[in-house]
Amino acid sequence: MLVGVGWLLFGVGWLIVLAIVLVRRGRLVALRRDWLFWAVPPLVVVLVGALVHVGAPVRMRFELSRGSLDHLAKTVSEGTPPGKRDWIGLYPVEYLDGSRSAFGFMIEVTGFLTSYGLAWSPNGEPDIDGPGYYRHFDGPWYIWEISDW
């Protein structure tokens, strides 16, 4: 949420400075000369917004953590309990639960009114004893959501 407020403040500040430049006489020539300077910030905001909208950061974090996630899944499927872990790949773990057929973990500090995590279940939707619901993500991996309200 703070990141959103930061982007909003950046955008408002950029618009105010642009308005000041447009109002002052003689600055329009400078604006035309330095158009790239004024065009880059909105383009960066649009690009970042588009990447977030299509889920690129979530997918990248998952793919970078894939080796650790698959290793834990293999270990659990062989009968070893998941145990206590602080991190799985790039994910700080708040809660971890599961059995030989499925496991899931909640990620620390996610969401505002919803907590998010990942669940692994090779046989369809996970049957983990816990609140929330699951949304298929990739292969045997599911996004686990728990509403905090």
Side-chain angles (χ1 to χ4, degrees):
M1 185 137 97
L2 289 175
V3 173
V5 171
W7 278 105
L8 180 66
L9 291 174
F10 173 77
V12 169
W14 180 86
L15 285 173
I16 290 170
V17 171
L18 179 63
I20 291 169
V21 168
L22 290 174
V23 169
R24 291 188 176 171
R25 292 187 182 259
R27 296 288 185 163
L28 196 53
V29 174
L31 182 65
R32 286 188 187 137
R33 184 183 65 232
D34 300 329
W35 67 272
L36 190 60
F37 173 78
W38 293 101
V40 168
L43 290 175
V44 168
V45 169
V46 168
L47 178 63
V48 169
L51 288 172
V52 168
H53 180 71
V54 299
V58 173
R59 174 58 69 176
M60 182 182 292
R61 187 179 189 186
F62 178 78
E63 291 301 332
L64 289 172
S65 301
R66 189 73 181 247
S68 297
L69 292 166
D70 287 343
H71 176 72
L72 180 61
K74 182 177 183 272
T75 303
V76 169
S77 69
E78 291 171 349
T80 306
K84 170 81 173 108
R85 294 174 184 260
D86 293 328
W87 287 84
I88 301 173
L90 298 174
Y91 297 105
V93 176
E94 181 177 327
Y95 167 78
L96 176 65
D97 188 23
S99 65
R100 190 175 184 146
S101 63
F103 74 89
F105 64 93
M106 297 310 296
I107 304 167
E108 281 185 8
V109 194
T110 56
F112 177 60
L113 294 175
T114 304
S115 295
Y116 293 93
L118 289 174
W120 172 82
S121 177
N123 302 320
E125 189 170 303
D127 60 350
I128 300 168
D129 291 333
Y133 63 95
Y134 304 95
R135 210 173 56 229
H136 184 258
F137 185 61
D138 186 58
W141 292 99
Y142 291 79
I143 293 178
W144 184 10
E145 293 183 37
I146 298 176
S147 178
D148 294 335
W149 49 280

